[in-house]
Amino acid sequence: MNTGALGEEAALQWYLAEGYTLLARNYHARQGEIDLIVQNAETLVFVEVKTRGQNRLGTPAEWVDARKQEKIRGAALHYLERHHLGDPPLRFDVVEVLVDKAGSLTINCIPNAF
């Protein structure tokens, strides 16, 4: 399993442990891709997962720039329209997954990141 897939799986397991339900994984639309779409109660959460080794400069969340955010928003709108969901409560999270040299993972969820 590559580093990105490892991080996405770790983030998914974190959300599941917190009581969320998985709706979609690696959702593709012409506008962009969303790593995870989860739901807790009535809130839909569109999740961008960034996995990095700890020796990299900056935080993983810093890689989710305005251009990437716009692509995620566009894909989220596509998802809402495709599934006829109207205007439910929603948010956009970024999950940072840090992998140390021993292979241990640290997960940092940033709710309402943008």
Side-chain angles (χ1 to χ4, degrees):
M1 185 179 291
N2 69 38
T3 303
L6 179 70
E8 285 182 18
E9 182 62 27
L12 172 59
Q13 294 307 314
W14 184 88
Y15 278 102
L16 294 175
E18 293 293 315
Y20 290 77
T21 302
L22 176 66
L23 300 179
R25 189 173 192 167
N26 298 315
Y27 180 78
H28 292 273
R30 180 180 55 82
Q31 298 86 341
E33 178 188 350
I34 300 171
D35 294 328
L36 301 171
I37 302 172
V38 296
Q39 185 173 13
N40 188 5
E42 294 181 14
T43 302
L44 290 178
V45 183
F46 299 94
V47 182
E48 175 67 12
V49 180
K50 288 296 183 190
T51 307
R52 299 285 184 267
Q54 292 184 329
N55 58 349
R56 302 252 178 143
L57 294 177
T59 66
E62 291 173 341
W63 290 89
V64 185
D65 59 14
R67 182 172 169 258
K68 180 68 172 176
Q69 291 173 19
E70 191 59 33
K71 287 184 173 194
I72 294 168
R73 283 188 190 100
L77 181 59
H78 182 271
Y79 181 86
L80 294 171
E81 290 172 351
R82 182 174 182 196
H83 292 88
H84 310 286
L85 296 175
D87 191 21
L90 58 86
R91 69 174 201 253
F92 296 91
D93 290 1
V94 172
V95 175
E96 299 177 316
V97 180
L98 301 173
V99 183
D100 69 15
K101 292 181 182 186
S104 296
L105 303 177
T106 301
I107 297 172
N108 180 33
C109 178
I110 305 167
N112 289 309
F114 58 94

